[in-house]
Amino acid sequence: MILGIGTDLANIDRIAGTLDRFGDRFRNRVFTEIEQAKAERRRDTVGTYAKRWAAKEACSKALGTGLAMGISWKDMAVSNLRSGQPTMQVTGWAAERLQEMTPAGHEAIIHVTLTDDHPWAQAFVVIEARPLADAESSLDS
């Protein structure tokens, strides 16, 4: 079952301006060390930051809160599988909110997709609740 859906469209040039103006202060407030390392290794550093910004906004919307109610930017972090597929991890208040909205006997799966076409970066986040294997087998009995 779908628990939440979020999307965001970020302007890469606006993120570039914010990086130019605030530099490390912005990076360290919004992005985890892993996200920063990934962006700094990429040829399109700013586009990488913009996609991750959009993913955090989209995740907060899928959680049903926006960036209110105590969620920190760093409570939502994008990393990549070896295949390159982006993944979203949540900690802190975002993890508490996710647990709150996940029905008993289910696990929450966060799906994220990112894209960019200058000057836009876009992210979609879908939060799915899947029945746990133990809960599923007890239903079959």
Side-chain angles (χ1 to χ4, degrees):
M1 94 182 63
I2 302 300
L3 298 178
I5 299 171
T7 186
D8 192 66
L9 185 65
N11 185 291
I12 295 170
D13 294 332
R14 186 174 72 95
I15 297 297
T18 302
L19 285 164
D20 288 344
R21 185 170 177 197
F22 298 105
D24 286 342
R25 186 170 152 217
F26 172 67
R27 278 184 202 87
N28 293 331
R29 180 172 172 249
V30 174
F31 303 102
T32 66
E33 289 180 19
I34 291 169
E35 289 172 314
Q36 289 181 47
K38 174 76 172 184
E40 297 300 327
R41 283 193 312 267
R42 302 293 300 269
R43 185 168 40 96
D44 183 11
T45 301
V46 177
T48 302
Y49 279 123
K51 285 185 282 191
R52 279 150 178 73
W53 170 277
K56 291 167 186 273
E57 287 274 6
C59 184
S60 71
K61 293 169 186 175
L63 289 168
T65 63
L67 283 161
M69 300 174 66
I71 290 181
S72 161
W73 287 103
K74 288 184 173 183
D75 284 348
M76 301 164 289
V78 177
S79 61
N80 297 83
L81 300 176
R82 293 189 107 163
S83 66
Q85 177 184 346
T87 63
M88 177 70 70
Q89 296 77 42
V90 292
T91 58
W93 199 92
E96 290 173 22
R97 172 68 182 145
L98 182 62
Q99 185 175 4
E100 224 173 69
M101 62 192 286
T102 305
H106 290 74
E107 65 177 332
I109 310 293
I110 302 174
H111 304 276
V112 60
T113 187
L114 309 171
T115 192
D116 65 297
D117 187 6
H118 196 90
W120 302 108
Q122 186 173 33
F124 287 95
V125 171
V126 175
I127 302 175
E128 171 191 11
R130 280 192 198 152
L132 294 168
D134 291 343
E136 202 170 86
S137 62
S138 66
L139 293 175
D140 294 337
S141 305

